[in-house]
C-alpha cells in the first residue's frame, strides 16, 4: 500500500546503517542511508499532498504547496545522493579490477 512505503524505506535505511558489507566504506554507507531517508521523507510528504488532494485532510493552499515543495526536494536530493552512491560503487569496483 502506498501509505506503508515510507516505513519500508526507513527499514532499508536501518539495514544499510548496520550493513557489515559497507562497514569499511563510510561514504557508501552514508549515501545509502541518506538516499533511503530522503525517499521516506518524499513519500511521507507525498502522502500528505495526496490526502489533501482527495479531501481526506484539509490544508490551506500555502501549506499544501509547501508540503509539495518539501516532497519534491526530498525526491531530488534522494536521486542526487543515489547517483553519488553509484559513482562511489563504480570507483570501488574499478579499483578492485
Amino acid at each position: 500500500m502506498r501509505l506503508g512505503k515510507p516505513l519500508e524505506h526507513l527499514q532499508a535505511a536501518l539495514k544499510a546503517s548496520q550493513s557489515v558489507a559497507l562497514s569499511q566504506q563510510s561514504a557508501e554507507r552514508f549515501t545509502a542511508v541518506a538516499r533511503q531517508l530522503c525517499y521516506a521523507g518524499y513519500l511521507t510528504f507525498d502522502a500528505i499532498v495526496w490526502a489533501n488532494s482527495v479531501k481526506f485532510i484539509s490544508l490551506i493552499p500555502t501549506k499544501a504547496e509547501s508540503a509539495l515543495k518539501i516532497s519534491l526536494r526530498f525526491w531530488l536530493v534522494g536521486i542526487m545522493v543515489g547517483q553519488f552512491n553509484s559513482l562511489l560503487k563504480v570507483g570501488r569496483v574499478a579499483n578492485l579490477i
Side-chain angles (χ1 to χ4, degrees), residues 45-46 48-53 55 57-72:
F45 279 94
D46 187 57
I48 292 169
V49 171
W50 173 80
N52 183 55
S53 69
K55 306 296 185 216
I57 62 173
S58 180
L59 297 174
I60 59 174
T62 56
K63 294 291 184 184
E65 186 177 330
S66 176
L68 177 63
K69 285 182 181 180
I70 292 170
S71 171
L72 294 176

Side-chain angles (χ1 to χ4, degrees), residues 82-94:
Q83 292 296 319
F84 187 66
N85 182 279
S86 296
L87 290 174
L88 289 172
K89 286 181 184 178
V90 167
R92 180 173 46 88
V93 170

Side-chain angles (χ1 to χ4, degrees), residues 2 11-12 16 25 33 41-42 44-46 51 54 57 61 66 68 71 81 94:
R2 177 184 177 123
Q11 184 179 23
Q25 293 85 16
V33 171
Y42 158 66
T44 300
F45 279 94
D46 187 57
V54 297
I57 62 173
S66 176
L68 177 63
S71 171
V81 171

